[in-house]
Amino acid sequence: MAHRLRPVGLGFARTAPVRFVFTGEMAAPPGVVFRALADDVPGWGDWFPAVTSMALVDEGGGRKVRLAGGTRFRETIMAADPDELYAYRVDEATVPGVHALLEEWRLAPIGTGTRVQWTWAADGNALVRSLMRLSRGALARVFRRAVAALDRRLASQNSEPDGAGPESARPDPRPQQ
């Protein structure tokens, strides 16, 4: 059964009792990465380990998430600043002992690609906080795999011969003959 978590604001990403920050780089530019995070919500299951399904709810203001093993979350999207920030907090979870959880994805241009910073901020009872701290290495691996898988996915979408990739919506900058 799902239980309600404490509602937290964006500042929780800096003040949470348990806070992990991971960074990585992607070849895709920030706008393309942002669209994958914010607009292609059902696609998360194709690149983020353990996500089996995800859907927008509440007229796009929230998400329903199911993880492998049956864990479920209901989230509120806290920030969706194009090309820069995508953040959400968990409002309901089937994980006992968790009191608050917020995730923040910050994007910054680096050359022609993107520097991705994922902050995982949480609170729970004493046992859960201890278990969370022990999970740092596992979350780091999940993040590295997710960034690599999303980078491959975006590169393959961009290179599709029919132009169906995310860049196909941009006008062709070459002069017309």
Side-chain angles (χ1 to χ4, degrees), residues 52-111:
T52 59
S53 69
M54 188 180 295
L56 287 171
V57 295
D58 302 328
E59 298 177 15
R63 307 181 325 171
K64 286 177 83 170
V65 181
R66 182 179 290 270
L67 303 179
T71 301
R72 292 183 318 275
F73 299 116
R74 186 173 185 96
E75 303 170 335
T76 295
I77 298 169
M78 302 295 292
D81 300 332
D83 305 354
E84 294 178 17
L85 174 66
Y86 188 66
Y88 43 90
R89 74 162 181 243
V90 175
D91 296 317
E92 296 177 8
T94 58
V95 181
V98 176
H99 298 161
L101 180 59
L102 179 106
E103 295 181 41
E104 176 185 88
W105 295 78
R106 290 199 173 269
L107 311 175
I110 182 166

Side-chain angles (χ1 to χ4, degrees), residues 9 23 28 41:
T23 59
V41 170

Side-chain angles (χ1 to χ4, degrees), residues 89-163:
R89 74 162 181 243
V90 175
D91 296 317
E92 296 177 8
T94 58
V95 181
V98 176
H99 298 161
L101 180 59
L102 179 106
E103 295 181 41
E104 176 185 88
W105 295 78
R106 290 199 173 269
L107 311 175
I110 182 166
T112 59
T114 303
R115 180 175 187 264
V116 179
Q117 177 181 291
W118 180 46
T119 301
W120 190 88
D123 191 13
N125 63 35
L127 174 62
V128 168
R129 283 194 311 268
S130 294
L131 293 172
M132 288 174 179
R133 288 183 182 104
L134 291 173
S135 72
R136 180 181 180 77
L139 283 172
R141 285 187 297 280
V142 165
F143 173 75
R144 283 193 306 271
R145 287 183 195 137
V147 167
L150 180 57
D151 204 26
R152 285 190 303 274
R153 183 173 197 248
L154 295 175
S156 71
Q157 288 176 346
N158 193 35
S159 65
E160 291 176 6
D162 65 357

Side-chain angles (χ1 to χ4, degrees), residues 14 18 39 113 160 166:
R14 287 171 293 291
V18 180
D39 298 341
E160 291 176 6

